[in-house]
């Protein structure tokens, strides 16, 4: 199935009235006409050819014909809490947030407290940029309905579905809690210093260095059987703090994950066990792309952007997020 297209091909799809989710380079997205689409910047993809980096093509997801209406709404930090109020009665909502923006941080830390957050499917991703070279290091999102881009707002496409359909958000996380130390933090945040290790106070940066922890492995919290990752971004040895790609939450137990020795093979094994084929939309993490060396490799038949964060109601790391649409019982 073809997923990557040039600007002219995508522009024609938009003009023909298709409802689209788009991912690609800022210069490409900025050339597109107004229409029923939202998008975000990213140059990394799991494609029909395998893992790829490109600034020349746009990845396209066309929404199914049982989507009967769509509306795009932008949210800043002050009104993120209103996202659930805009859910459709029988719908699903796609969200894209620019990486490292204040709205990114606010959503990650506060979303679990939004009234009604889990009442309808909400999923999406964090847009980004090329990590190397001299390309602009600013993530953007696009509201194709108005033709406007933002680096400081989240864009949400709220969909209304035919009455006989409903959406289901799921995650596929290959990482499991290891048998190592129990780690807890006193506060919620993207940057941490002090923590407790097996109940004893420690500095987290010192702990990582002393134990020679492989920081390509995420910390994992077990939320009633759902394994939720938090990935390490960088150690600031001068300040003795550690920057994270997602916030840790206070008084939640984290443990570092066991290694996944062959991500591609393990992914395909899990897909086969699940029987998952061609979800309507999926995204996976740039850290999996880089650490598991997925360039040129496939993750089964699954395609989608390789992102700076994945959203299944809340912000996730090193996880695949996907949505399927199913028939509602008569």
């Amino acid at each position: 199935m073809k997923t990557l297209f040039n600007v002219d091909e995508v522009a024609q799809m938009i003009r023909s009235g298709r409802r689209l989710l788009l991912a690609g380079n800022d210069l490409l997205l900025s050339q597109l006409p107004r229409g029923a689409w939202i998008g975000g910047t990213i140059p990394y993809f799991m494609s029909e050819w395998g893992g790829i980096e490109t600034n020349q093509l746009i990845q396209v997801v066309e929404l199914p014909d049982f989507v009967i209406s769509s509306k795009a709404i932008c949210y800043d930090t002050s009104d993120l809490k209103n996202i659930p109020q805009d859910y459709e009665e029988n719908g699903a909502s796609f969200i894209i947030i620019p990486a490292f923006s204040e709205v990114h941080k606010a959503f990650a830390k506060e979303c679990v407290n939004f009234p009604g957050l889990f009442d309808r499917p909400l999923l999406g991703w964090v847009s980004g940029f090329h990590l190397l070279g001299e390309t602009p290091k600013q993530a953007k999102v696009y509201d194709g309905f108005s033709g406007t881009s933002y680096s400081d707002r989240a864009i949400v496409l709220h969909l209304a579905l035919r009455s006989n359909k409903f959406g289901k958000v799921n995650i596929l996380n290959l990482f499991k809690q290891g048998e190592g130390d129990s780690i807890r933090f006193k506060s919620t945040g993207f940057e941490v210093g002090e923590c407790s290790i097996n109940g004893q106070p420690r500095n987290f940066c010192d702990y990582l260095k002393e134990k020679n922890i492989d920081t390509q492995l995420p910390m994992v919290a077990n939320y009633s059987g759902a394994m939720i990752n938090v990935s390490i971004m960088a150690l600031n040895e001068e300040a003795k703090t550690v920057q994270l790609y997602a916030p840790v939450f206070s008084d939640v137990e984290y443990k570092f994950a066991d290694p996944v020795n062959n991500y591609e093979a393990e992914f395909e094994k899990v897909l086969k066990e699940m029987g998952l084929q061609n979800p309507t939309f999926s995204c996976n993490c740039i850290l999996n792309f880089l650490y598991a060396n997925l360039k040129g490799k496939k993750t089964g038949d699954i395609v989608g952007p390789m992102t700076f964060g994945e959203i299944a109601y809340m912000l996730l790391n090193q996880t695949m997020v996907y949505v399927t649409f199913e028939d509602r019982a008569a």
Side-chain angles (χ1 to χ4, degrees):
M1 178 179 67
K2 184 176 180 180
T3 67
L4 291 171
F5 299 85
N6 64 39
V7 168
D8 291 340
E9 291 173 314
V10 179
Q12 182 56 43
M13 294 180 200
I14 294 169
R15 293 190 183 100
S16 69
R18 301 184 192 182
R19 296 187 175 98
L20 306 176
L21 303 173
L22 304 179
N25 180 270
D26 184 37
L27 292 176
L28 303 183
L29 297 179
S30 66
Q31 297 177 51
L32 296 174
R34 292 170 60 176
W37 64 275
I38 66 169
T41 55
I42 204 75
Y44 305 100
F45 308 95
M46 184 55 62
S47 75
E48 56 270 32
W49 308 311
I52 188 174
E53 298 176 25
T54 178
N55 285 318
Q56 307 303 316
L57 299 170
I58 298 170
Q59 192 160 54
V60 177
V61 172
E62 182 176 0
L63 296 172
D65 59 9
F66 52 76
V67 173
I68 57 177
S69 70
S70 59
K71 62 181 179 184
I73 301 178
C74 292
Y75 300 87
D76 61 22
T77 55
S78 66
D79 55 18
L80 279 172
K81 63 182 180 297
N82 297 329
I83 290 173
Q85 297 178 23
D86 296 319
Y87 288 164
E88 295 289 349
E89 182 176 352
N90 182 45
S93 297
F94 287 92
I95 182 170
I96 311 176
I97 303 177
F100 309 124
S101 62
E102 290 304 310
V103 74
H104 176 204
K105 297 172 186 176
F107 179 88
K109 294 169 69 173
E110 301 166 12
C111 65
V112 292
N113 298 317
F114 296 167
L117 179 74
F118 300 98
D119 290 353
R120 302 289 184 277
L122 175 70
L123 80 157
W125 54 286
V126 177
S127 62
F129 41 78
H130 203 286
L131 293 167
L132 303 176
E134 298 181 359
T135 55
K137 298 296 189 287
Q138 185 178 59
K140 291 185 180 180
V141 301
Y142 272 81
D143 174 3
F145 291 74
S146 66
T148 309
S149 65
Y150 301 94
S151 60
D152 59 353
R153 297 187 182 187
I155 182 73
V156 181
L157 187 65
H158 295 285
L159 307 178
L161 310 177
R162 277 205 314 251
S163 59
N164 66 329
K165 292 286 186 178
F166 69 97
K168 289 180 66 176
V169 176
N170 292 283
I171 66 174
L172 193 165
N173 182 9
L174 297 188
F175 294 100
K176 303 290 189 294
Q177 279 190 330
E179 297 297 324
D181 294 330
S182 171
I183 308 166
R184 292 180 183 268
F185 301 90
K186 290 183 178 180
S187 59
T188 297
F190 280 85
E191 187 169 7
V192 293
E194 302 311 307
C195 66
S196 69
I197 306 293
N198 301 325
Q200 299 301 311
R202 288 295 309 273
N203 177 272
F204 190 49
C205 185
D206 288 344
Y207 167 77
L208 295 179
K209 291 189 295 178
E210 178 186 310
K211 292 288 189 177
N212 196 27
I213 299 292
D214 180 0
T215 55
Q216 292 191 358
L217 294 173
M219 292 184 290
V220 183
N222 186 338
Y223 287 83
S224 302
M227 299 295 166
I228 304 299
N229 302 335
V230 174
S231 301
I232 306 293
M233 182 188 299
L235 276 62
N236 185 334
E237 296 187 27
E238 183 176 343
K240 289 190 177 298
T241 59
V242 178
Q243 291 177 285
L244 308 169
Y245 282 105
V248 290
F249 289 89
S250 61
D251 208 31
V252 171
E253 183 188 51
Y254 296 90
K255 293 186 176 186
F256 273 96
D258 285 329
V260 176
N261 294 322
N262 186 327
Y263 189 94
E264 181 185 17
E266 188 65 21
F267 193 97
E268 292 208 36
K269 176 185 173 185
V270 173
L271 282 184
K272 186 174 181 180
E273 291 171 353
M274 295 170 60
L276 176 64
Q277 294 181 328
N278 300 320
T280 298
F281 171 85
S282 70
C283 62
N284 205 331
C285 186
I286 180 62
L287 298 181
N288 286 335
F289 183 89
L290 296 174
Y291 296 164
N293 192 27
L294 294 179
K295 191 172 182 178
K297 300 177 182 177
K298 290 191 173 186
T299 49
D301 294 324
I302 304 298
V303 295
M306 306 296 292
T307 69
F308 279 40
E310 306 76 59
I311 297 168
Y313 302 106
M314 61 189 294
L315 179 66
L316 307 173
N317 292 156
Q318 288 182 258
T319 302
M320 186 185 91
V321 166
Y322 65 97
V323 65
T324 57
F325 292 99
E326 301 183 16
D327 294 329
R328 193 181 297 279

Short mmCIF file of all heavy atoms in Angstrom, two decimals, residues 226-276:
data_model
loop_
_atom_site.label_atom_id
_atom_site.label_comp_id
_atom_site.label_asym_id
_atom_site.label_seq_id
_atom_site.Cartn_x
_atom_site.Cartn_y
_atom_site.Cartn_z
N ALA A 226 -0.95 -2.13 31.93
CA ALA A 226 -0.49 -1.37 30.77
C ALA A 226 0.91 -0.83 31.06
O ALA A 226 1.11 -0.12 32.06
CB ALA A 226 -1.44 -0.22 30.47
N MET A 227 1.88 -1.20 30.22
CA MET A 227 3.25 -0.78 30.42
C MET A 227 3.47 0.57 29.74
O MET A 227 3.35 0.69 28.51
CB MET A 227 4.22 -1.82 29.84
CG MET A 227 4.09 -3.19 30.51
SD MET A 227 4.57 -3.14 32.25
CE MET A 227 3.93 -4.73 32.81
N ILE A 228 3.78 1.60 30.54
CA ILE A 228 3.93 2.96 30.05
C ILE A 228 5.38 3.38 30.22
O ILE A 228 5.92 3.38 31.33
CB ILE A 228 2.99 3.93 30.80
CG1 ILE A 228 1.53 3.46 30.69
CG2 ILE A 228 3.15 5.34 30.26
CD1 ILE A 228 0.98 3.38 29.29
N ASN A 229 6.01 3.79 29.11
CA ASN A 229 7.43 4.11 29.10
C ASN A 229 7.70 5.59 29.33
O ASN A 229 6.93 6.44 28.89
CB ASN A 229 8.06 3.74 27.75
CG ASN A 229 7.89 2.29 27.39
OD1 ASN A 229 7.74 1.44 28.27
ND2 ASN A 229 7.92 1.99 26.10
N VAL A 230 8.83 5.86 29.96
CA VAL A 230 9.40 7.22 30.03
C VAL A 230 10.87 7.09 29.62
O VAL A 230 11.63 6.35 30.24
CB VAL A 230 9.29 7.83 31.43
CG1 VAL A 230 10.02 9.17 31.48
CG2 VAL A 230 7.83 8.01 31.83
N SER A 231 11.25 7.84 28.57
CA SER A 231 12.59 7.67 28.00
C SER A 231 13.52 8.79 28.44
O SER A 231 13.11 9.94 28.64
CB SER A 231 12.50 7.67 26.47
OG SER A 231 11.65 6.61 26.04
N ILE A 232 14.79 8.45 28.57
CA ILE A 232 15.83 9.40 28.99
C ILE A 232 16.28 10.22 27.79
O ILE A 232 16.64 9.66 26.74
CB ILE A 232 17.04 8.66 29.58
CG1 ILE A 232 16.61 7.71 30.71
CG2 ILE A 232 18.09 9.66 30.04
CD1 ILE A 232 16.07 8.37 31.93
N MET A 233 16.29 11.56 27.93
CA MET A 233 16.80 12.43 26.88
C MET A 233 18.28 12.74 27.07
O MET A 233 19.09 12.54 26.17
CB MET A 233 16.00 13.74 26.82
CG MET A 233 16.44 14.67 25.71
SD MET A 233 15.65 16.31 25.80
CE MET A 233 13.92 15.87 25.64
N ALA A 234 18.63 13.27 28.25
CA ALA A 234 20.01 13.69 28.46
C ALA A 234 20.30 13.83 29.95
O ALA A 234 19.40 14.09 30.75
CB ALA A 234 20.27 15.02 27.76
N LEU A 235 21.59 13.66 30.29
CA LEU A 235 22.04 13.89 31.66
C LEU A 235 22.76 15.23 31.72
O LEU A 235 23.64 15.51 30.89
CB LEU A 235 23.01 12.78 32.09
CG LEU A 235 22.42 11.47 32.63
CD1 LEU A 235 21.58 10.77 31.60
CD2 LEU A 235 23.55 10.57 33.13
N ASN A 236 22.37 16.04 32.68
CA ASN A 236 23.06 17.31 32.94
C ASN A 236 23.91 17.10 34.19
O ASN A 236 23.42 17.26 35.31
CB ASN A 236 22.05 18.44 33.12
CG ASN A 236 22.70 19.80 33.28
OD1 ASN A 236 23.85 19.90 33.71
ND2 ASN A 236 21.98 20.84 32.93
N GLU A 237 25.16 16.73 33.98
CA GLU A 237 26.00 16.36 35.11
C GLU A 237 26.36 17.57 35.98
O GLU A 237 26.57 17.43 37.19
CB GLU A 237 27.26 15.67 34.60
CG GLU A 237 26.96 14.36 33.89
CD GLU A 237 28.20 13.57 33.53
OE1 GLU A 237 29.23 13.74 34.22
OE2 GLU A 237 28.15 12.79 32.56
N GLU A 238 26.41 18.75 35.37
CA GLU A 238 26.72 19.95 36.15
C GLU A 238 25.60 20.27 37.13
O GLU A 238 25.83 20.57 38.31
CB GLU A 238 26.98 21.14 35.22
CG GLU A 238 27.38 22.41 35.96
CD GLU A 238 27.71 23.54 35.01
OE1 GLU A 238 27.94 23.28 33.80
OE2 GLU A 238 27.75 24.70 35.47
N ALA A 239 24.36 20.21 36.64
CA ALA A 239 23.20 20.50 37.49
C ALA A 239 22.72 19.28 38.26
O ALA A 239 21.84 19.39 39.12
CB ALA A 239 22.05 21.05 36.64
N LYS A 240 23.27 18.11 37.92
CA LYS A 240 22.85 16.84 38.51
C LYS A 240 21.35 16.60 38.32
O LYS A 240 20.62 16.24 39.24
CB LYS A 240 23.22 16.77 40.00
CG LYS A 240 24.72 16.62 40.23
CD LYS A 240 25.02 16.32 41.67
CE LYS A 240 26.52 16.10 41.90
NZ LYS A 240 27.04 14.93 41.15
N THR A 241 20.91 16.82 37.07
CA THR A 241 19.52 16.54 36.71
C THR A 241 19.49 15.68 35.46
O THR A 241 20.49 15.56 34.74
CB THR A 241 18.72 17.83 36.46
OG1 THR A 241 19.36 18.58 35.40
CG2 THR A 241 18.65 18.69 37.73
N VAL A 242 18.33 15.11 35.19
CA VAL A 242 18.12 14.25 34.02
C VAL A 242 16.90 14.75 33.27
O VAL A 242 15.83 14.93 33.87
CB VAL A 242 17.92 12.78 34.43
CG1 VAL A 242 17.67 11.91 33.21
CG2 VAL A 242 19.14 12.28 35.21
N GLN A 243 17.05 15.00 31.97
CA GLN A 243 15.93 15.43 31.13
C GLN A 243 15.27 14.20 30.53
O GLN A 243 15.94 13.25 30.11
CB GLN A 243 16.41 16.36 30.02
CG GLN A 243 16.88 17.72 30.52
CD GLN A 243 17.40 18.56 29.37
OE1 GLN A 243 18.50 18.33 28.86
NE2 GLN A 243 16.60 19.53 28.95
N LEU A 244 13.94 14.25 30.44
CA LEU A 244 13.15 13.13 29.98
C LEU A 244 12.31 13.53 28.76
O LEU A 244 12.00 14.71 28.57
CB LEU A 244 12.21 12.65 31.10
CG LEU A 244 12.87 12.38 32.46
CD1 LEU A 244 11.81 12.18 33.52
CD2 LEU A 244 13.79 11.17 32.37
N TYR A 245 11.91 12.52 27.96
CA TYR A 245 11.06 12.79 26.80
C TYR A 245 9.57 12.83 27.17
O TYR A 245 8.75 13.29 26.38
CB TYR A 245 11.28 11.72 25.72
CG TYR A 245 12.54 11.92 24.92
CD1 TYR A 245 13.66 11.12 25.13
CD2 TYR A 245 12.61 12.89 23.93
CE1 TYR A 245 14.82 11.29 24.39
CE2 TYR A 245 13.76 13.08 23.18
CZ TYR A 245 14.86 12.28 23.41
OH TYR A 245 16.01 12.46 22.67
N ALA A 246 9.24 12.33 28.33
CA ALA A 246 7.87 12.41 28.86
C ALA A 246 8.00 12.59 30.36
O ALA A 246 9.03 12.22 30.95
CB ALA A 246 7.07 11.15 28.53
N PRO A 247 7.00 13.15 31.00
CA PRO A 247 7.14 13.37 32.44
C PRO A 247 6.99 12.08 33.24
O PRO A 247 6.23 11.18 32.86
CB PRO A 247 5.99 14.33 32.75
CG PRO A 247 4.96 14.03 31.72
CD PRO A 247 5.71 13.66 30.48
N VAL A 248 7.73 12.01 34.33
CA VAL A 248 7.42 11.02 35.35
C VAL A 248 6.36 11.62 36.26
O VAL A 248 6.23 12.84 36.37
CB VAL A 248 8.67 10.63 36.17
CG1 VAL A 248 9.63 9.83 35.34
CG2 VAL A 248 9.35 11.86 36.77
N PHE A 249 5.59 10.75 36.89
CA PHE A 249 4.54 11.20 37.80
C PHE A 249 4.93 10.84 39.23
O PHE A 249 5.56 9.80 39.47
CB PHE A 249 3.20 10.59 37.41
CG PHE A 249 2.64 11.16 36.14
CD1 PHE A 249 2.95 10.59 34.91
CD2 PHE A 249 1.83 12.29 36.16
CE1 PHE A 249 2.45 11.12 33.73
CE2 PHE A 249 1.34 12.82 34.99
CZ PHE A 249 1.65 12.25 33.77
N SER A 250 4.54 11.71 40.13
CA SER A 250 4.94 11.54 41.53
C SER A 250 4.39 10.24 42.11
O SER A 250 3.26 9.86 41.86
CB SER A 250 4.48 12.73 42.36
OG SER A 250 3.07 12.85 42.32
N ASP A 251 5.25 9.58 42.87
CA ASP A 251 4.91 8.38 43.63
C ASP A 251 4.39 7.23 42.77
O ASP A 251 3.59 6.41 43.22
CB ASP A 251 3.91 8.71 44.75
CG ASP A 251 4.05 7.74 45.92
OD1 ASP A 251 5.17 7.27 46.15
OD2 ASP A 251 3.04 7.44 46.57
N VAL A 252 4.83 7.18 41.52
CA VAL A 252 4.59 6.02 40.66
C VAL A 252 5.88 5.21 40.62
O VAL A 252 6.97 5.77 40.52
CB VAL A 252 4.18 6.45 39.24
CG1 VAL A 252 4.15 5.26 38.29
CG2 VAL A 252 2.83 7.15 39.27
N GLU A 253 5.77 3.89 40.70
CA GLU A 253 6.96 3.05 40.66
C GLU A 253 7.42 2.83 39.22
O GLU A 253 6.64 2.40 38.37
CB GLU A 253 6.70 1.69 41.30
CG GLU A 253 7.96 0.83 41.33
CD GLU A 253 7.71 -0.59 41.80
OE1 GLU A 253 6.80 -1.25 41.24
OE2 GLU A 253 8.43 -1.05 42.70
N TYR A 254 8.68 3.13 38.97
CA TYR A 254 9.31 2.89 37.67
C TYR A 254 10.45 1.88 37.84
O TYR A 254 11.13 1.86 38.86
CB TYR A 254 9.87 4.19 37.09
CG TYR A 254 8.83 5.23 36.79
CD1 TYR A 254 8.45 6.16 37.75
CD2 TYR A 254 8.21 5.29 35.54
CE1 TYR A 254 7.48 7.12 37.48
CE2 TYR A 254 7.25 6.24 35.27
CZ TYR A 254 6.88 7.16 36.24
OH TYR A 254 5.93 8.10 35.97
N LYS A 255 10.64 1.08 36.81
CA LYS A 255 11.80 0.21 36.72
C LYS A 255 12.33 0.28 35.30
O LYS A 255 11.55 0.44 34.35
CB LYS A 255 11.44 -1.25 37.07
CG LYS A 255 11.04 -1.46 38.52
CD LYS A 255 10.85 -2.94 38.81
CE LYS A 255 10.56 -3.18 40.29
NZ LYS A 255 10.51 -4.62 40.62
N PHE A 256 13.64 0.16 35.15
CA PHE A 256 14.18 0.16 33.79
C PHE A 256 13.78 -1.13 33.08
O PHE A 256 13.67 -2.20 33.69
CB PHE A 256 15.69 0.33 33.80
CG PHE A 256 16.09 1.78 33.82
CD1 PHE A 256 16.38 2.42 35.02
CD2 PHE A 256 16.13 2.52 32.66
CE1 PHE A 256 16.73 3.75 35.06
CE2 PHE A 256 16.47 3.86 32.67
CZ PHE A 256 16.76 4.48 33.87
N ALA A 257 13.55 -0.99 31.77
CA ALA A 257 13.06 -2.11 30.96
C ALA A 257 14.15 -3.15 30.73
O ALA A 257 15.35 -2.85 30.72
CB ALA A 257 12.56 -1.59 29.62
N ASP A 258 13.70 -4.37 30.50
CA ASP A 258 14.59 -5.39 29.97
C ASP A 258 14.92 -5.05 28.51
O ASP A 258 14.08 -4.48 27.78
CB ASP A 258 13.92 -6.76 30.01
CG ASP A 258 13.87 -7.34 31.41
OD1 ASP A 258 14.78 -7.04 32.21
OD2 ASP A 258 12.90 -8.07 31.71
N PRO A 259 16.11 -5.40 28.03
CA PRO A 259 16.46 -5.13 26.62
C PRO A 259 15.58 -5.92 25.66
O PRO A 259 15.11 -7.02 25.98
CB PRO A 259 17.92 -5.59 26.52
CG PRO A 259 18.42 -5.66 27.92
CD PRO A 259 17.23 -6.00 28.77
N VAL A 260 15.34 -5.34 24.48
CA VAL A 260 14.71 -6.05 23.36
C VAL A 260 15.82 -6.29 22.34
O VAL A 260 16.30 -5.35 21.70
CB VAL A 260 13.56 -5.23 22.74
CG1 VAL A 260 12.99 -5.95 21.52
CG2 VAL A 260 12.47 -4.98 23.78
N ASN A 261 16.25 -7.52 22.20
CA ASN A 261 17.47 -7.80 21.44
C ASN A 261 17.31 -7.62 19.94
O ASN A 261 18.25 -7.21 19.25
CB ASN A 261 17.96 -9.22 21.75
CG ASN A 261 18.42 -9.36 23.19
OD1 ASN A 261 19.03 -8.44 23.74
ND2 ASN A 261 18.11 -10.49 23.81
N ASN A 262 16.14 -7.94 19.39
CA ASN A 262 15.89 -7.77 17.96
C ASN A 262 14.50 -7.18 17.81
O ASN A 262 13.51 -7.90 17.77
CB ASN A 262 16.00 -9.12 17.23
CG ASN A 262 15.91 -8.96 15.72
OD1 ASN A 262 15.20 -8.09 15.20
ND2 ASN A 262 16.60 -9.83 14.99
N TYR A 263 14.44 -5.85 17.75
CA TYR A 263 13.15 -5.16 17.75
C TYR A 263 12.30 -5.59 16.56
O TYR A 263 11.12 -5.87 16.70
CB TYR A 263 13.38 -3.65 17.72
CG TYR A 263 12.11 -2.84 17.93
CD1 TYR A 263 11.75 -2.40 19.20
CD2 TYR A 263 11.26 -2.53 16.87
CE1 TYR A 263 10.58 -1.67 19.41
CE2 TYR A 263 10.10 -1.80 17.06
CZ TYR A 263 9.77 -1.37 18.33
OH TYR A 263 8.60 -0.67 18.52
N GLU A 264 12.90 -5.63 15.37
CA GLU A 264 12.14 -5.97 14.16
C GLU A 264 11.51 -7.36 14.27
O GLU A 264 10.31 -7.54 14.00
CB GLU A 264 13.07 -5.91 12.94
CG GLU A 264 12.38 -6.21 11.61
CD GLU A 264 13.35 -6.27 10.45
OE1 GLU A 264 14.57 -6.39 10.70
OE2 GLU A 264 12.88 -6.19 9.31
N ALA A 265 12.30 -8.35 14.68
CA ALA A 265 11.79 -9.72 14.78
C ALA A 265 10.75 -9.84 15.89
O ALA A 265 9.72 -10.49 15.72
CB ALA A 265 12.94 -10.69 15.03
N GLU A 266 11.01 -9.21 17.04
CA GLU A 266 10.07 -9.28 18.15
C GLU A 266 8.76 -8.57 17.80
O GLU A 266 7.67 -9.04 18.16
CB GLU A 266 10.69 -8.66 19.40
CG GLU A 266 9.87 -8.84 20.66
CD GLU A 266 9.74 -10.29 21.09
OE1 GLU A 266 10.57 -11.13 20.68
OE2 GLU A 266 8.78 -10.59 21.83
N PHE A 267 8.85 -7.46 17.08
CA PHE A 267 7.66 -6.72 16.66
C PHE A 267 6.79 -7.59 15.76
O PHE A 267 5.57 -7.68 15.95
CB PHE A 267 8.09 -5.45 15.93
CG PHE A 267 7.00 -4.44 15.72
CD1 PHE A 267 6.84 -3.38 16.59
CD2 PHE A 267 6.14 -4.55 14.64
CE1 PHE A 267 5.83 -2.45 16.40
CE2 PHE A 267 5.13 -3.62 14.43
CZ PHE A 267 4.98 -2.56 15.31
N GLU A 268 7.41 -8.22 14.78
CA GLU A 268 6.64 -9.07 13.86
C GLU A 268 6.02 -10.25 14.60
O GLU A 268 4.90 -10.67 14.31
CB GLU A 268 7.54 -9.56 12.71
CG GLU A 268 7.96 -8.43 11.79
CD GLU A 268 8.24 -8.91 10.37
OE1 GLU A 268 7.52 -9.82 9.90
OE2 GLU A 268 9.16 -8.38 9.74
N LYS A 269 6.73 -10.80 15.57
CA LYS A 269 6.19 -11.90 16.36
C LYS A 269 4.94 -11.48 17.11
O LYS A 269 3.92 -12.18 17.11
CB LYS A 269 7.26 -12.39 17.34
CG LYS A 269 6.78 -13.48 18.29
CD LYS A 269 7.87 -13.83 19.31
CE LYS A 269 7.34 -14.79 20.37
NZ LYS A 269 8.36 -15.04 21.43
N VAL A 270 5.01 -10.30 17.76
CA VAL A 270 3.86 -9.81 18.52
C VAL A 270 2.70 -9.49 17.59
O VAL A 270 1.54 -9.79 17.90
CB VAL A 270 4.26 -8.58 19.36
CG1 VAL A 270 3.03 -7.95 20.01
CG2 VAL A 270 5.28 -8.98 20.41
N LEU A 271 2.99 -8.88 16.43
CA LEU A 271 1.92 -8.60 15.46
C LEU A 271 1.19 -9.87 15.05
O LEU A 271 -0.04 -9.90 14.96
CB LEU A 271 2.49 -7.93 14.21
CG LEU A 271 2.84 -6.45 14.26
CD1 LEU A 271 3.30 -5.99 12.89
CD2 LEU A 271 1.65 -5.62 14.72
N LYS A 272 1.96 -10.92 14.80
CA LYS A 272 1.35 -12.19 14.38
C LYS A 272 0.48 -12.75 15.49
O LYS A 272 -0.63 -13.24 15.23
CB LYS A 272 2.46 -13.19 14.01
CG LYS A 272 1.93 -14.49 13.42
CD LYS A 272 3.08 -15.37 12.95
CE LYS A 272 2.56 -16.66 12.33
NZ LYS A 272 3.67 -17.53 11.87
N GLU A 273 0.96 -12.66 16.73
CA GLU A 273 0.17 -13.16 17.86
C GLU A 273 -1.12 -12.37 18.03
O GLU A 273 -2.17 -12.92 18.37
CB GLU A 273 1.01 -13.08 19.14
CG GLU A 273 2.18 -14.05 19.17
CD GLU A 273 3.11 -13.80 20.34
OE1 GLU A 273 2.91 -12.78 21.06
OE2 GLU A 273 4.04 -14.61 20.55
N MET A 274 -1.05 -11.05 17.78
CA MET A 274 -2.22 -10.19 17.92
C MET A 274 -3.19 -10.32 16.74
O MET A 274 -4.38 -10.03 16.88
CB MET A 274 -1.79 -8.72 18.03
CG MET A 274 -0.99 -8.38 19.27
SD MET A 274 -0.28 -6.72 19.16
CE MET A 274 -1.77 -5.73 18.99
N GLY A 275 -2.66 -10.72 15.59
CA GLY A 275 -3.48 -10.75 14.38
C GLY A 275 -3.78 -9.36 13.86
O GLY A 275 -4.78 -9.16 13.15
N LEU A 276 -2.93 -8.38 14.16
CA LEU A 276 -3.18 -7.00 13.76
C LEU A 276 -2.69 -6.77 12.34
O LEU A 276 -1.54 -7.03 12.02
CB LEU A 276 -2.46 -6.03 14.72
CG LEU A 276 -2.56 -4.54 14.38
CD1 LEU A 276 -4.00 -4.07 14.45
CD2 LEU A 276 -1.66 -3.73 15.30
#
